[in-house]
Amino acid sequence: MKKSFKLLATVVLSGSVLAACGQGDDKTSSNDQLKVTTTVFPLQSFVKQIGGKHVEVDSIYPKGTDLHSFEPSQKDIIDASKSDLFIYTGDNLDPVSKKIAGAIKKDDHKLSLEDYLDKATLLTDQHEHGEHDEHEHGDHDEHGEEGHDHEHGEEGHEHEGHDHEHGEAHHHHGGYDPHVWLDPQLDKKFVSAIRDDLVKRDPDHKDEYKKNADKLLKDLDGIDQDMKDITKDHQGNAVFISHESLGYLADRYGFVQKGIQSLNAEDPSQKELTEIVKEINDTGAKYILYEENISHKVTDTIRKETNAKPLKFNNMESVTDDQSKDATYQSLMKENVKSIEKALNDKIKVEDDKAANKHSKAIQDGYFKDDQVKDRNLSDYAGEWQSVYPLLKDGTLDEVFEHKAEDKGDKSAKEYKAYYDKGYKTDVEKIKITDNQITFTKNGKSMTGTYTYDGKDILKYDGGHRGVRYTFKLEGDASEGLPKYVQFSDHNIAPTKTGHFHIFTGNDRDKVLKELENWPTYYPANLSKEEVKDEMLEH
């Protein structure tokens, strides 16, 4: 979800206030209930059902809020910090809540539920910008570091599985689809984590918490079965919805979602709107799912220009005043199941143009399944390439390091420059790859060798994520300018044209695989210094 960066200033401003509130002390409500603050409605509903009378739970989100435009106040942040526990989907799934969690200094006062998920199953926010394909080869090692262990060098936190999608007419925001709470199987993991946390905090009532959680888990199994029943004869059928919130349900149960507005709730262009109207009319879709907390400006236009009738869908980011009185996750999902079933009965077939890249963000972050990793040819790296090391040395990239220091705050710009100086360092200023040949240019002198594919290696790093190296072996004997082995890392794990890469060379294959500190990096030779810098800043 797209969140305002204005929140950062609010968090900083609130820091001294949080200290004044004595955040380090455990807080409980007046009647000794555990006080819990949550984010989206399902989490609030789960805590309420599991905790019962022993828990007081509130959400930071006002009723009926569209989270794409929501910006919490300083009071919201302070109130969350006063709770015994702040429960949210996770830093990667909810950027605003990440800021709030960051203002809560005690780790045992917050519960990030994404820690209980298999990150390889998380879906990508595939909101399309349009006409920005020229930015596809950004410096993805620049944003691949966050949240991972950097002690083992750049290759240790480079997420080699990064899907750049070069040459396509769109690119992703770089985030995850946040709507994990709509998937009942993922919710079972959340319920178990919440149950265990409450038991740990309040062991006197553990039997009650476990009993309540068991009932909830059984209900979730029932919803899961309902979804299987309504989708078993509709594999590949499409559902039109006001914005892209059905991703996890569609992926789990085998149907296709077509969002009228993007995942980020941004209005489509007139051209996109015309295409959507045409697609709906061409398919003969009779129904469109509408969400009450999403702006109706675009969807109202769709209703006027098509014969499709509206069906209510609860995305459960927040609930209305009426729903808040007695609604539960289960009751709202039962309504959703009926609406999805009715829409699927149209048996609409459309192309799922986002299926191929649904896990690209997880892959870039180094979370993928072994069977996703495919062999690649040297042609994936074909082209003329320039080292970025000279740009570091002449100061061109200083703005990049300043941006990183400001954005992450874990190192100064000077420290970042020193870190990347070690990583980018190389005396090979240019590389040219054509067919099965690699030409290395060093000090103005070029040497060319013929290389054949020598396999792939999946590397596992301390932070729990992984990467892939693709190795090519020199035909004949190695020489001073031609290494026996060349290994590529470019964040991709299957055949695709790369936009930049990191290269590792040497005459001992296993030794080269162990290199984690030096990762010479190359961008297209036709980019100017400023363009390379802009690519890095863009991402």
Side-chain angles (χ1 to χ4, degrees):
M1 289 178 287
K2 189 174 181 181
K3 303 295 186 180
S4 171
F5 286 103
K6 293 179 181 178
L7 174 61
L8 180 58
T10 306
V11 172
V12 172
L13 178 63
S14 65
S16 59
V17 181
L18 294 180
C21 291
Q23 188 192 113
D25 298 325
D26 289 341
K27 303 289 193 300
T28 57
S29 57
S30 58
N31 58 356
D32 290 330
Q33 293 174 305
L34 284 171
K35 181 173 176 56
V36 180
T37 300
T38 63
T39 53
V40 293
F41 174 74
L43 304 188
Q44 182 181 13
S45 179
F46 296 159
V47 173
K48 186 175 181 180
Q49 292 181 66
I50 298 169
K53 64 183 178 182
H54 307 297
V55 173
E56 176 188 330
V57 57
D58 293 300
S59 169
I60 62 169
Y61 297 136
K63 295 177 179 62
T65 298
D66 174 3
L67 303 192
H68 306 91
S69 58
F70 175 73
E71 186 175 324
S73 66
Q74 182 177 332
K75 182 178 183 299
D76 293 326
I77 298 170
I78 294 173
D79 286 347
S81 74
K82 290 180 179 180
S83 300
D84 295 307
L85 180 62
F86 175 58
I87 300 178
Y88 65 119
T89 51
D91 290 352
N92 292 304
L93 292 167
D94 190 341
V96 163
S97 292
K98 174 185 176 181
K99 301 293 186 181
I100 296 174
I104 301 174
K105 302 307 178 185
K106 294 190 70 174
D107 288 341
D108 63 352
H109 278 218
K110 48 195 174 185
L111 179 63
S112 172
L113 294 173
E114 74 177 53
D115 295 341
Y116 299 87
L117 299 177
D118 177 357
K119 291 184 175 63
T121 65
L122 293 179
L123 301 178
T124 305
D125 164 359
Q126 294 196 62
H127 165 48
E128 299 179 2
H129 275 231
E131 299 182 4
H132 285 287
D133 55 304
E134 67 272 19
H135 295 301
E136 290 297 334
H137 37 255
D139 189 337
H140 296 279
D141 58 42
E142 295 298 310
H143 64 69
E145 298 177 295
E146 186 171 354
H148 295 290
D149 181 4
H150 313 317
E151 297 304 315
H152 38 62
E154 179 74 358
E155 182 70 9
H157 64 253
E158 286 271 359
H159 307 305
E160 288 94 336
H162 201 151
D163 187 345
H164 303 296
E165 300 181 75
H166 298 285
E168 297 186 27
H170 67 276
H171 78 277
H172 307 321
H173 279 250
Y176 290 105
D177 180 341
H179 301 92
V180 288
W181 59 82
L182 289 175
D183 183 336
Q185 291 196 33
L186 296 183
D187 284 331
K188 290 179 65 176
K189 297 179 184 294
F190 297 162
V191 167
S192 296
I194 293 169
R195 174 202 63 203
D196 293 347
D197 196 281
L198 293 181
V199 168
K200 180 180 68 176
R201 294 173 189 279
D202 183 18
D204 289 344
H205 301 105
K206 65 178 181 180
D207 291 341
E208 190 170 344
Y209 296 147
K210 290 180 178 179
K211 179 181 178 181
N212 292 342
D214 286 345
K215 181 181 183 304
L216 181 49
L217 290 169
K218 185 177 180 180
D219 288 347
L220 293 174
D221 282 335
I223 293 171
D224 176 50
Q225 188 58 54
D226 289 343
M227 284 299 303
K228 289 176 180 176
D229 290 343
I230 68 166
T231 56
K232 64 182 179 181
D233 296 325
H234 297 286
Q235 298 299 290
N237 291 162
V239 172
F240 287 92
I241 186 167
S242 53
H243 99 297
E244 296 172 349
S245 59
L246 283 174
Y248 290 96
L249 289 175
D251 187 54
R252 174 79 66 189
Y253 301 105
F255 63 94
V256 178
Q257 75 160 341
K258 295 293 289 186
I260 294 174
Q261 288 175 236
S262 73
L263 184 70
N264 298 77
E266 294 177 3
D267 291 347
S269 66
Q270 185 58 47
K271 177 182 177 182
E272 291 169 328
L273 189 59
T274 300
E275 290 174 351
I276 292 169
V277 168
K278 184 178 186 303
E279 185 171 28
I280 293 173
N281 286 331
D282 287 349
T283 60
K286 297 178 182 177
Y287 301 102
I288 299 176
L289 303 187
Y290 288 91
E291 301 149 284
E292 291 187 351
N293 61 323
I294 300 298
S295 171
H296 287 185
K297 182 175 70 173
V298 174
T299 50
D300 284 348
T301 299
I302 298 291
R303 290 171 66 173
K304 293 176 182 177
E305 299 294 331
T306 71
N307 293 321
K309 297 179 180 178
L311 290 174
K312 181 180 178 182
F313 184 81
N314 303 290
N315 62 35
M316 290 191 254
E317 293 173 352
S318 60
V319 292
T320 65
D321 280 323
D322 289 340
Q323 289 173 331
S324 67
K325 296 173 184 177
D326 56 7
T328 63
Y329 168 84
Q330 300 96 302
S331 66
L332 296 182
M333 271 305 294
K334 287 179 180 178
E335 294 177 4
N336 286 344
V337 170
K338 292 179 181 178
S339 293
I340 293 172
E341 180 180 25
K342 196 168 187 177
L344 283 173
N345 283 338
D346 280 352
K347 295 192 174 183
I348 301 300
K349 290 287 187 180
V350 299
E351 180 183 356
D352 188 357
D353 55 357
K354 297 182 178 180
N357 300 304
K358 63 183 179 181
H359 294 302
S360 60
K361 172 58 178 170
I363 290 172
Q364 84 174 49
D365 284 350
Y367 301 105
F368 49 83
K369 306 293 187 182
D370 285 357
D371 61 6
Q372 292 177 275
V373 181
K374 308 299 181 183
D375 292 319
R376 299 175 68 184
N377 295 320
L378 191 58
S379 58
D380 279 358
Y381 310 95
E384 296 186 28
W385 306 91
Q386 62 175 314
S387 166
V388 301
Y389 189 54
L391 280 62
L392 179 147
K393 300 303 286 186
D394 68 15
T396 299
L397 302 184
D398 285 354
E399 186 178 347
V400 175
F401 305 133
E402 291 167 2
H403 174 76
K404 288 180 68 65
E406 181 180 351
D407 184 49
K408 297 183 181 298
D410 58 340
K411 295 184 184 76
S412 66
K414 184 177 180 180
E415 290 171 328
Y416 267 116
K417 186 169 184 176
Y419 175 74
Y420 281 95
D421 190 300
K422 185 176 181 181
Y424 288 158
K425 187 174 183 179
T426 182
D427 56 4
V428 177
E429 61 261 24
K430 293 181 181 179
I431 293 177
K432 182 178 180 180
I433 302 173
T434 56
D435 298 323
N436 60 346
Q437 293 187 323
I438 304 178
T439 300
F440 300 90
T441 300
K442 179 167 56 174
N443 299 323
K445 182 180 178 181
S446 298
M447 293 192 69
T448 300
T450 300
Y451 287 82
T452 57
Y453 183 56
D454 196 50
K456 58 186 180 293
D457 292 272
I458 299 175
L459 306 182
K460 186 174 182 179
Y461 307 121
D462 293 344
H465 54 292
R466 305 191 297 168
V468 180
R469 295 264 191 98
Y470 290 91
T471 300
F472 295 84
K473 184 178 180 180
L474 176 68
E475 293 183 1
D477 296 329
S479 63
E480 181 180 352
L482 291 175
K484 188 68 175 177
Y485 296 97
V486 176
Q487 295 174 357
F488 292 92
S489 163
D490 67 341
H491 316 282
N492 291 296
I493 63 172
T496 188
K497 176 68 174 119
T498 192
H500 82 279
F501 58 79
H502 314 284
I503 198 168
F504 307 82
T505 61
N507 296 328
D508 184 322
R509 192 183 194 282
D510 292 336
K511 187 175 180 180
V512 176
L513 272 178
K514 294 177 182 178
E515 175 59 67
L516 301 176
E517 302 299 325
N518 178 236
W519 14 270
T521 301
Y522 293 81
Y523 273 69
N526 62 357
L527 294 181
S528 69
K529 292 181 179 182
E530 288 298 311
E531 286 173 328
V532 172
K533 181 194 72 174
D534 289 345
E535 289 291 338
M536 293 184 177
L537 288 172
E538 175 77 16
H539 297 277

Short mmCIF file of all heavy atoms in Angstrom, two decimals, residues 42-90:
data_model
loop_
_atom_site.label_atom_id
_atom_site.label_comp_id
_atom_site.label_asym_id
_atom_site.label_seq_id
_atom_site.Cartn_x
_atom_site.Cartn_y
_atom_site.Cartn_z
N PRO A 42 -9.24 -7.65 10.52
CA PRO A 42 -9.12 -9.07 10.89
C PRO A 42 -8.24 -9.30 12.12
O PRO A 42 -8.55 -10.15 12.95
CB PRO A 42 -8.51 -9.71 9.64
CG PRO A 42 -9.04 -8.87 8.52
CD PRO A 42 -8.97 -7.47 9.07
N LEU A 43 -7.17 -8.55 12.25
CA LEU A 43 -6.30 -8.72 13.42
C LEU A 43 -7.03 -8.31 14.69
O LEU A 43 -6.94 -8.97 15.73
CB LEU A 43 -5.01 -7.91 13.26
CG LEU A 43 -4.18 -8.20 12.01
CD1 LEU A 43 -2.84 -7.47 12.09
CD2 LEU A 43 -3.97 -9.68 11.81
N GLN A 44 -7.78 -7.22 14.60
CA GLN A 44 -8.59 -6.79 15.73
C GLN A 44 -9.62 -7.85 16.08
O GLN A 44 -9.83 -8.18 17.26
CB GLN A 44 -9.28 -5.47 15.39
CG GLN A 44 -10.12 -4.90 16.55
CD GLN A 44 -10.80 -3.60 16.15
OE1 GLN A 44 -10.84 -3.24 14.97
NE2 GLN A 44 -11.34 -2.89 17.13
N SER A 45 -10.25 -8.42 15.06
CA SER A 45 -11.27 -9.45 15.29
C SER A 45 -10.65 -10.70 15.91
O SER A 45 -11.21 -11.28 16.85
CB SER A 45 -11.93 -9.81 13.95
OG SER A 45 -12.90 -10.82 14.11
N PHE A 46 -9.49 -11.12 15.44
CA PHE A 46 -8.84 -12.32 15.98
C PHE A 46 -8.46 -12.12 17.44
O PHE A 46 -8.69 -13.02 18.27
CB PHE A 46 -7.58 -12.65 15.17
CG PHE A 46 -7.85 -13.01 13.73
CD1 PHE A 46 -6.84 -12.91 12.78
CD2 PHE A 46 -9.10 -13.46 13.32
CE1 PHE A 46 -7.07 -13.24 11.46
CE2 PHE A 46 -9.35 -13.79 11.99
CZ PHE A 46 -8.33 -13.67 11.06
N VAL A 47 -7.89 -10.97 17.76
CA VAL A 47 -7.48 -10.71 19.14
C VAL A 47 -8.70 -10.70 20.06
O VAL A 47 -8.69 -11.28 21.15
CB VAL A 47 -6.73 -9.37 19.25
CG1 VAL A 47 -6.46 -9.03 20.72
CG2 VAL A 47 -5.41 -9.43 18.48
N LYS A 48 -9.77 -10.07 19.59
CA LYS A 48 -10.99 -10.00 20.40
C LYS A 48 -11.58 -11.37 20.65
O LYS A 48 -12.01 -11.69 21.77
CB LYS A 48 -12.01 -9.11 19.68
CG LYS A 48 -13.27 -8.83 20.48
CD LYS A 48 -14.16 -7.84 19.75
CE LYS A 48 -15.42 -7.53 20.55
NZ LYS A 48 -16.29 -6.56 19.84
N GLN A 49 -11.58 -12.22 19.62
CA GLN A 49 -12.16 -13.56 19.78
C GLN A 49 -11.28 -14.47 20.63
O GLN A 49 -11.79 -15.26 21.42
CB GLN A 49 -12.37 -14.19 18.39
CG GLN A 49 -13.44 -13.51 17.57
CD GLN A 49 -13.64 -14.18 16.22
OE1 GLN A 49 -14.07 -15.32 16.14
NE2 GLN A 49 -13.31 -13.47 15.14
N ILE A 50 -9.99 -14.37 20.48
CA ILE A 50 -9.08 -15.22 21.26
C ILE A 50 -8.99 -14.73 22.70
O ILE A 50 -9.05 -15.53 23.64
CB ILE A 50 -7.68 -15.24 20.63
CG1 ILE A 50 -7.73 -15.83 19.22
CG2 ILE A 50 -6.71 -16.05 21.51
CD1 ILE A 50 -6.44 -15.65 18.44
N GLY A 51 -8.86 -13.42 22.87
CA GLY A 51 -8.65 -12.86 24.21
C GLY A 51 -9.90 -12.77 25.04
O GLY A 51 -9.83 -12.82 26.28
N GLY A 52 -11.05 -12.63 24.37
CA GLY A 52 -12.31 -12.53 25.12
C GLY A 52 -12.30 -11.39 26.13
O GLY A 52 -11.78 -10.30 25.85
N LYS A 53 -12.80 -11.65 27.31
CA LYS A 53 -12.94 -10.62 28.35
C LYS A 53 -11.61 -10.20 28.96
O LYS A 53 -11.55 -9.22 29.71
CB LYS A 53 -13.88 -11.11 29.43
CG LYS A 53 -13.36 -12.33 30.19
CD LYS A 53 -14.38 -12.82 31.20
CE LYS A 53 -13.87 -14.07 31.94
NZ LYS A 53 -14.88 -14.58 32.91
N HIS A 54 -10.55 -10.92 28.64
CA HIS A 54 -9.25 -10.62 29.25
C HIS A 54 -8.43 -9.63 28.43
O HIS A 54 -7.32 -9.27 28.84
CB HIS A 54 -8.44 -11.91 29.43
CG HIS A 54 -9.18 -12.97 30.16
ND1 HIS A 54 -9.61 -12.82 31.46
CD2 HIS A 54 -9.60 -14.20 29.75
CE1 HIS A 54 -10.24 -13.90 31.84
NE2 HIS A 54 -10.26 -14.76 30.82
N VAL A 55 -8.98 -9.21 27.29
CA VAL A 55 -8.23 -8.33 26.40
C VAL A 55 -9.09 -7.15 25.98
O VAL A 55 -10.28 -7.30 25.68
CB VAL A 55 -7.77 -9.11 25.14
CG1 VAL A 55 -7.14 -8.15 24.13
CG2 VAL A 55 -6.78 -10.20 25.51
N GLU A 56 -8.49 -5.98 25.97
CA GLU A 56 -9.11 -4.78 25.40
C GLU A 56 -8.35 -4.46 24.13
O GLU A 56 -7.14 -4.25 24.15
CB GLU A 56 -9.00 -3.60 26.38
CG GLU A 56 -9.53 -2.29 25.83
CD GLU A 56 -9.23 -1.11 26.75
OE1 GLU A 56 -9.14 -1.32 27.97
OE2 GLU A 56 -9.06 0.01 26.21
N VAL A 57 -9.05 -4.45 22.99
CA VAL A 57 -8.37 -4.29 21.72
C VAL A 57 -8.95 -3.14 20.91
O VAL A 57 -10.17 -2.94 20.84
CB VAL A 57 -8.43 -5.60 20.90
CG1 VAL A 57 -9.86 -6.05 20.67
CG2 VAL A 57 -7.69 -5.46 19.58
N ASP A 58 -8.07 -2.36 20.31
CA ASP A 58 -8.45 -1.25 19.45
C ASP A 58 -7.58 -1.28 18.19
O ASP A 58 -6.49 -1.87 18.18
CB ASP A 58 -8.25 0.10 20.16
CG ASP A 58 -9.21 0.29 21.32
OD1 ASP A 58 -10.43 0.27 21.08
OD2 ASP A 58 -8.72 0.44 22.46
N SER A 59 -8.07 -0.60 17.16
CA SER A 59 -7.31 -0.48 15.92
C SER A 59 -6.85 0.97 15.76
O SER A 59 -7.55 1.90 16.17
CB SER A 59 -8.16 -0.88 14.72
OG SER A 59 -7.51 -0.52 13.50
N ILE A 60 -5.69 1.15 15.15
CA ILE A 60 -5.23 2.52 14.89
C ILE A 60 -6.02 3.15 13.75
O ILE A 60 -5.98 4.36 13.55
CB ILE A 60 -3.72 2.56 14.56
CG1 ILE A 60 -3.43 1.76 13.29
CG2 ILE A 60 -2.88 2.09 15.72
CD1 ILE A 60 -2.02 1.97 12.76
N TYR A 61 -6.73 2.31 12.98
CA TYR A 61 -7.43 2.81 11.81
C TYR A 61 -8.86 3.22 12.15
O TYR A 61 -9.63 2.41 12.68
CB TYR A 61 -7.46 1.75 10.71
CG TYR A 61 -6.10 1.37 10.20
CD1 TYR A 61 -5.76 0.04 9.98
CD2 TYR A 61 -5.14 2.33 9.93
CE1 TYR A 61 -4.50 -0.32 9.50
CE2 TYR A 61 -3.89 1.99 9.47
CZ TYR A 61 -3.57 0.67 9.26
OH TYR A 61 -2.33 0.34 8.79
N PRO A 62 -9.24 4.43 11.82
CA PRO A 62 -10.63 4.86 12.03
C PRO A 62 -11.59 4.03 11.18
O PRO A 62 -11.20 3.48 10.14
CB PRO A 62 -10.62 6.33 11.58
CG PRO A 62 -9.19 6.74 11.63
CD PRO A 62 -8.39 5.52 11.29
N LYS A 63 -12.81 3.95 11.59
CA LYS A 63 -13.81 3.16 10.85
C LYS A 63 -14.02 3.73 9.45
O LYS A 63 -14.12 4.93 9.27
CB LYS A 63 -15.13 3.14 11.64
CG LYS A 63 -15.01 2.43 12.99
CD LYS A 63 -16.32 2.49 13.75
CE LYS A 63 -16.19 1.76 15.09
NZ LYS A 63 -15.17 2.37 15.99
N GLY A 64 -14.07 2.81 8.49
CA GLY A 64 -14.31 3.21 7.12
C GLY A 64 -13.14 3.83 6.40
O GLY A 64 -13.29 4.40 5.31
N THR A 65 -11.95 3.71 6.98
CA THR A 65 -10.78 4.36 6.39
C THR A 65 -10.28 3.64 5.14
O THR A 65 -10.25 2.42 5.09
CB THR A 65 -9.63 4.40 7.43
OG1 THR A 65 -10.05 5.18 8.54
CG2 THR A 65 -8.37 5.02 6.84
N ASP A 66 -9.87 4.44 4.15
CA ASP A 66 -9.13 3.92 3.01
C ASP A 66 -7.66 4.01 3.39
O ASP A 66 -7.09 5.10 3.49
CB ASP A 66 -9.42 4.75 1.78
CG ASP A 66 -8.57 4.34 0.57
OD1 ASP A 66 -7.81 3.36 0.70
OD2 ASP A 66 -8.68 5.00 -0.48
N LEU A 67 -7.02 2.87 3.62
CA LEU A 67 -5.66 2.87 4.14
C LEU A 67 -4.64 3.44 3.17
O LEU A 67 -3.54 3.79 3.56
CB LEU A 67 -5.26 1.44 4.52
CG LEU A 67 -6.17 0.74 5.52
CD1 LEU A 67 -5.50 -0.52 6.03
CD2 LEU A 67 -6.52 1.66 6.68
N HIS A 68 -5.01 3.57 1.89
CA HIS A 68 -4.07 4.09 0.92
C HIS A 68 -3.81 5.58 1.15
O HIS A 68 -2.81 6.11 0.69
CB HIS A 68 -4.59 3.86 -0.50
CG HIS A 68 -4.93 2.43 -0.76
ND1 HIS A 68 -6.19 1.93 -0.54
CD2 HIS A 68 -4.18 1.39 -1.17
CE1 HIS A 68 -6.19 0.63 -0.83
NE2 HIS A 68 -4.99 0.29 -1.23
N SER A 69 -4.71 6.24 1.83
CA SER A 69 -4.54 7.67 2.09
C SER A 69 -4.45 7.97 3.58
O SER A 69 -4.35 9.12 3.99
CB SER A 69 -5.72 8.46 1.49
OG SER A 69 -6.96 8.01 2.03
N PHE A 70 -4.45 6.92 4.40
CA PHE A 70 -4.44 7.12 5.85
C PHE A 70 -3.05 7.52 6.35
O PHE A 70 -2.05 6.96 5.95
CB PHE A 70 -4.88 5.85 6.56
CG PHE A 70 -4.78 5.94 8.07
CD1 PHE A 70 -5.66 6.71 8.79
CD2 PHE A 70 -3.77 5.26 8.74
CE1 PHE A 70 -5.56 6.80 10.17
CE2 PHE A 70 -3.66 5.33 10.12
CZ PHE A 70 -4.56 6.11 10.84
N GLU A 71 -3.03 8.49 7.22
CA GLU A 71 -1.79 8.93 7.85
C GLU A 71 -2.03 9.09 9.35
O GLU A 71 -2.75 9.98 9.78
CB GLU A 71 -1.33 10.26 7.24
CG GLU A 71 0.02 10.72 7.74
CD GLU A 71 0.48 11.98 7.03
OE1 GLU A 71 0.19 12.11 5.84
OE2 GLU A 71 1.11 12.82 7.68
N PRO A 72 -1.47 8.21 10.17
CA PRO A 72 -1.74 8.28 11.61
C PRO A 72 -1.18 9.56 12.23
O PRO A 72 -0.17 10.10 11.79
CB PRO A 72 -1.03 7.04 12.16
CG PRO A 72 0.02 6.74 11.16
CD PRO A 72 -0.55 7.12 9.84
N SER A 73 -1.86 9.99 13.26
CA SER A 73 -1.44 11.20 13.96
C SER A 73 -0.42 10.85 15.04
O SER A 73 -0.17 9.68 15.35
CB SER A 73 -2.66 11.86 14.61
OG SER A 73 -3.17 11.00 15.64
N GLN A 74 0.15 11.88 15.62
CA GLN A 74 1.08 11.67 16.74
C GLN A 74 0.36 10.96 17.88
O GLN A 74 0.93 10.10 18.55
CB GLN A 74 1.62 13.02 17.21
CG GLN A 74 2.63 12.92 18.34
CD GLN A 74 3.18 14.28 18.72
OE1 GLN A 74 3.25 15.17 17.90
NE2 GLN A 74 3.58 14.42 19.97
N LYS A 75 -0.91 11.30 18.08
CA LYS A 75 -1.69 10.65 19.14
C LYS A 75 -1.85 9.15 18.87
O LYS A 75 -1.76 8.33 19.80
CB LYS A 75 -3.07 11.29 19.27
CG LYS A 75 -3.93 10.71 20.38
CD LYS A 75 -5.27 11.42 20.47
CE LYS A 75 -6.11 10.87 21.63
NZ LYS A 75 -6.39 9.44 21.47
N ASP A 76 -2.08 8.80 17.60
CA ASP A 76 -2.20 7.38 17.25
C ASP A 76 -0.94 6.62 17.63
O ASP A 76 -0.98 5.52 18.17
CB ASP A 76 -2.45 7.22 15.74
CG ASP A 76 -3.80 7.74 15.30
OD1 ASP A 76 -4.76 7.63 16.09
OD2 ASP A 76 -3.89 8.26 14.18
N ILE A 77 0.20 7.22 17.33
CA ILE A 77 1.48 6.58 17.61
C ILE A 77 1.69 6.44 19.11
O ILE A 77 2.12 5.39 19.61
CB ILE A 77 2.63 7.39 16.97
CG1 ILE A 77 2.45 7.42 15.45
CG2 ILE A 77 3.98 6.80 17.34
CD1 ILE A 77 3.39 8.38 14.75
N ILE A 78 1.37 7.49 19.84
CA ILE A 78 1.54 7.45 21.29
C ILE A 78 0.60 6.44 21.92
O ILE A 78 0.99 5.66 22.81
CB ILE A 78 1.32 8.86 21.90
CG1 ILE A 78 2.42 9.80 21.41
CG2 ILE A 78 1.29 8.79 23.42
CD1 ILE A 78 2.20 11.24 21.81
N ASP A 79 -0.65 6.41 21.44
CA ASP A 79 -1.62 5.44 21.99
C ASP A 79 -1.14 4.01 21.75
O ASP A 79 -1.26 3.15 22.64
CB ASP A 79 -2.99 5.65 21.35
CG ASP A 79 -3.69 6.91 21.87
OD1 ASP A 79 -3.23 7.47 22.89
OD2 ASP A 79 -4.68 7.33 21.24
N ALA A 80 -0.62 3.76 20.56
CA ALA A 80 -0.12 2.41 20.27
C ALA A 80 1.04 2.05 21.17
O ALA A 80 1.18 0.91 21.64
CB ALA A 80 0.31 2.31 18.80
N SER A 81 1.88 3.04 21.47
CA SER A 81 3.05 2.78 22.32
C SER A 81 2.66 2.49 23.76
O SER A 81 3.42 1.86 24.50
CB SER A 81 4.00 3.98 22.27
OG SER A 81 3.47 5.06 23.01
N LYS A 82 1.50 2.93 24.17
CA LYS A 82 1.05 2.71 25.55
C LYS A 82 0.44 1.33 25.75
O LYS A 82 0.22 0.91 26.89
CB LYS A 82 0.01 3.78 25.93
CG LYS A 82 0.57 5.19 26.10
CD LYS A 82 -0.54 6.16 26.48
CE LYS A 82 -0.01 7.57 26.67
NZ LYS A 82 -1.11 8.51 27.03
N SER A 83 0.18 0.64 24.66
CA SER A 83 -0.43 -0.69 24.75
C SER A 83 0.56 -1.71 25.30
O SER A 83 1.78 -1.53 25.22
CB SER A 83 -0.91 -1.15 23.38
OG SER A 83 -1.87 -0.27 22.86
N ASP A 84 0.01 -2.78 25.83
CA ASP A 84 0.86 -3.91 26.20
C ASP A 84 1.43 -4.56 24.95
O ASP A 84 2.52 -5.16 24.99
CB ASP A 84 0.05 -4.96 26.97
CG ASP A 84 -0.44 -4.44 28.31
OD1 ASP A 84 0.38 -3.93 29.08
OD2 ASP A 84 -1.66 -4.51 28.56
N LEU A 85 0.68 -4.45 23.84
CA LEU A 85 1.10 -5.13 22.63
C LEU A 85 0.55 -4.42 21.40
O LEU A 85 -0.63 -4.06 21.35
CB LEU A 85 0.60 -6.59 22.65
CG LEU A 85 0.93 -7.47 21.45
CD1 LEU A 85 2.44 -7.63 21.31
CD2 LEU A 85 0.26 -8.83 21.60
N PHE A 86 1.41 -4.22 20.41
CA PHE A 86 1.01 -3.69 19.12
C PHE A 86 1.16 -4.81 18.10
O PHE A 86 2.26 -5.33 17.88
CB PHE A 86 1.89 -2.49 18.73
CG PHE A 86 1.61 -1.95 17.35
CD1 PHE A 86 0.33 -1.50 17.00
CD2 PHE A 86 2.61 -1.87 16.39
CE1 PHE A 86 0.07 -1.00 15.74
CE2 PHE A 86 2.38 -1.36 15.12
CZ PHE A 86 1.10 -0.93 14.80
N ILE A 87 0.05 -5.22 17.47
CA ILE A 87 0.06 -6.31 16.51
C ILE A 87 -0.20 -5.76 15.11
O ILE A 87 -1.18 -5.04 14.88
CB ILE A 87 -1.02 -7.37 16.85
CG1 ILE A 87 -0.77 -7.95 18.24
CG2 ILE A 87 -1.02 -8.49 15.81
CD1 ILE A 87 -1.82 -8.95 18.67
N TYR A 88 0.68 -6.09 14.18
CA TYR A 88 0.53 -5.61 12.79
C TYR A 88 1.01 -6.69 11.84
O TYR A 88 1.67 -7.65 12.24
CB TYR A 88 1.28 -4.30 12.59
CG TYR A 88 2.78 -4.36 12.71
CD1 TYR A 88 3.59 -4.03 11.63
CD2 TYR A 88 3.41 -4.71 13.90
CE1 TYR A 88 4.97 -4.06 11.72
CE2 TYR A 88 4.79 -4.74 14.01
CZ TYR A 88 5.56 -4.42 12.92
OH TYR A 88 6.94 -4.45 13.02
N THR A 89 0.68 -6.54 10.56
CA THR A 89 1.03 -7.59 9.60
C THR A 89 2.53 -7.69 9.38
O THR A 89 3.05 -8.78 9.16
CB THR A 89 0.32 -7.37 8.26
OG1 THR A 89 0.56 -6.03 7.81
CG2 THR A 89 -1.17 -7.63 8.39
N GLY A 90 3.25 -6.58 9.43
CA GLY A 90 4.69 -6.65 9.29
C GLY A 90 5.29 -5.45 8.62
O GLY A 90 4.61 -4.68 7.94
#
